[in-house]
Amino acid sequence: MELLQQLTFLERGIAAGLLIGFISPLIGAFLLVRRMTIISEGLSHVTLTGITAGVLMTQTTVLFAGVNPLYMGLLFSLAGSLLIEKLRQVYQHFQELAIPIILSAGVGLSAVLISMTQSSYTEWYSYLFGSIITVTLNDLIFIFVTGIAAMIIVGLFYKELLSISFDQEFAVTSGISVKRINFIFSVLIALVISMSMKVVGILLVGALITLPVAAAILFAKSFRHVLILGILFGEAAVLGGVISSYYFNVATGGMIVAAGIFILVSAAFVRKLMDLSAKRVRKEQLS
């Protein structure tokens, strides 16, 4: 705790970003296998609803004065993830409806609550697009606690999460409680979404979950490789984005996403060159 207190605002932003860059692709790999990467967009807007509710409560209720709005964002994200899972069960033949329903509700409620608050444009801008200079000590502690919790969950239930992600029917026959693991995975997603708000921003958190994994699958030969490469690309995107946003004085989240896109485009270009080289070698061997 004393070490965190000694960090400067830039060091706090980098420390938070590195942890987020590690966790986000880790969850993104599981979402990719499940073909559910879009869920991050829906939950990010629900989290915004929670944050706006938290800001409003701190402004109107003495009991909640000084309480970090990110805590309320986490609660709403947890509720949203569980509601998505419930809606997927209700619409078994149209499960893709669950996310647009939650996303629409999150956007609508956020707009109503934001209009009721007295916060400045700058504060909402940092929540929407991220900002390293607004990461406080309390924010950093929140990010570290939720990040550690997320890593513990992945470590404890890695095999179960992997089994359900690849073959749910096999997982059921193996005696795995699919409902319980899906609930745990929902909690995991909510933790990652809520912890990423301050650095990446609500509107851009889905990109950090998706882009590093999208680059990783171009080279990976196994799921473990996807995890390792995704984390490396995620950390590279965060470092490049945070440092460049500081020196160019632009939105942190936007620069992180720009760095992620650059990595993805570069990875696709390298992959294309590798494929062309492999074809040329095969032609030479045949001739």
Side-chain angles (χ1 to χ4, degrees), residues 252-271:
T252 309
M255 289 305 297
I256 290 175
V257 172
I261 293 173
F262 175 78
I263 291 172
L264 176 59
V265 172
S266 300
F269 179 72
V270 172
R271 179 74 262 180

Side-chain angles (χ1 to χ4, degrees), residues 146-167:
T146 52
I148 291 171
M151 286 189 284
I152 290 174
I153 291 174
V154 172
L156 291 176
F157 300 98
Y158 177 79
K159 292 182 179 179
E160 290 84 352
L161 290 170
L162 192 63
S163 179
I164 291 177
S165 297
F166 277 98
D167 193 340

Side-chain angles (χ1 to χ4, degrees), residues 8 14 25 49 59-60 73 82 97 103-105 126 137 139 143-144 147 191 216 250 255 258 269 280 286:
T8 64
I14 293 175
T49 305
Q59 293 176 353
T60 58
L82 296 178
L97 282 175
L103 190 151
S104 301
S126 66
L137 177 60
D139 293 333
I143 291 170
F144 265 81
L191 288 173
V250 293
M255 289 305 297
F269 179 72
R280 190 179 302 111
L286 291 174

Side-chain angles (χ1 to χ4, degrees), residues 25-91:
L26 187 66
I27 306 307
F30 287 102
L31 289 175
L32 175 70
V33 173
R34 292 184 172 213
R35 291 175 171 80
M36 290 175 58
T37 51
I38 193 64
I39 194 175
S40 60
E41 301 296 335
L43 286 181
S44 63
H45 288 79
V46 173
T47 305
L48 175 60
T49 305
I51 290 175
T52 53
V55 171
L56 186 61
M57 291 169 66
T58 59
Q59 293 176 353
T60 58
T61 309
V62 178
L63 181 63
F64 292 94
V67 177
N68 194 329
L70 288 177
Y71 299 148
M72 187 61 69
L74 173 59
L75 291 178
F76 271 65
S77 185
L78 285 170
S81 62
L82 296 178
L83 187 54
I84 286 176
E85 192 60 35
K86 184 64 177 179
L87 288 172
R88 283 167 58 85
Q89 295 174 13
V90 172
Y91 297 100

Side-chain angles (χ1 to χ4, degrees), residues 4-31:
L4 297 181
Q5 292 175 343
Q6 295 174 359
L7 297 177
T8 64
F9 75 92
L10 180 59
E11 291 171 340
R12 285 197 301 266
I14 293 175
L18 288 175
L19 184 57
I20 293 168
F22 182 91
I23 300 293
S24 294
L26 187 66
I27 306 307
F30 287 102
L31 289 175

Side-chain angles (χ1 to χ4, degrees), residues 19-246:
L19 184 57
I20 293 168
F22 182 91
I23 300 293
S24 294
L26 187 66
I27 306 307
F30 287 102
L31 289 175
L32 175 70
V33 173
R34 292 184 172 213
R35 291 175 171 80
M36 290 175 58
T37 51
I38 193 64
I39 194 175
S40 60
E41 301 296 335
L43 286 181
S44 63
H45 288 79
V46 173
T47 305
L48 175 60
T49 305
I51 290 175
T52 53
V55 171
L56 186 61
M57 291 169 66
T58 59
Q59 293 176 353
T60 58
T61 309
V62 178
L63 181 63
F64 292 94
V67 177
N68 194 329
L70 288 177
Y71 299 148
M72 187 61 69
L74 173 59
L75 291 178
F76 271 65
S77 185
L78 285 170
S81 62
L82 296 178
L83 187 54
I84 286 176
E85 192 60 35
K86 184 64 177 179
L87 288 172
R88 283 167 58 85
Q89 295 174 13
V90 172
Y91 297 100
Q92 292 185 7
H93 300 292
F94 304 95
Q95 293 186 355
E96 67 276 5
L97 282 175
I99 297 173
I101 290 173
I102 293 298
L103 190 151
S104 301
V107 171
L109 290 173
S110 297
V112 172
L113 293 174
I114 288 175
S115 66
M116 298 169 62
T117 63
Q118 301 174 358
S119 301
S120 64
Y121 169 79
T122 304
E123 181 177 354
W124 290 119
Y125 187 87
S126 66
Y127 280 124
L128 292 174
F129 299 104
S131 175
I132 58 172
I133 63 174
T134 60
V135 177
T136 64
L137 177 60
N138 287 334
D139 293 333
L140 184 59
I141 293 173
F142 173 82
I143 291 170
F144 265 81
V145 171
T146 52
I148 291 171
M151 286 189 284
I152 290 174
I153 291 174
V154 172
L156 291 176
F157 300 98
Y158 177 79
K159 292 182 179 179
E160 290 84 352
L161 290 170
L162 192 63
S163 179
I164 291 177
S165 297
F166 277 98
D167 193 340
Q168 188 164 305
E169 292 182 0
F170 174 77
V172 172
T173 59
S174 301
I176 297 174
S177 176
V178 175
K179 287 186 177 180
R180 183 170 70 96
I181 298 302
N182 281 337
F183 170 79
I184 292 171
F185 189 64
S186 297
V187 172
L188 191 59
I189 299 171
L191 288 173
V192 174
I193 295 293
S194 59
M195 69 180 282
S196 306
M197 293 295 108
K198 268 301 185 110
V199 174
V200 187
I202 290 166
L203 298 181
L204 303 173
V205 62
L208 187 57
I209 291 175
T210 305
L211 291 176
V213 178
I217 61 174
L218 294 174
F219 303 101
K221 297 181 180 179
S222 67
F223 183 75
R224 190 179 296 274
H225 287 165
V226 173
L227 291 178
I228 295 172
L229 289 176
I231 290 171
L232 290 176
F233 290 148
E235 296 287 31
V238 167
L239 276 176
V242 169
I243 294 173
S244 58
S245 70
Y246 172 74

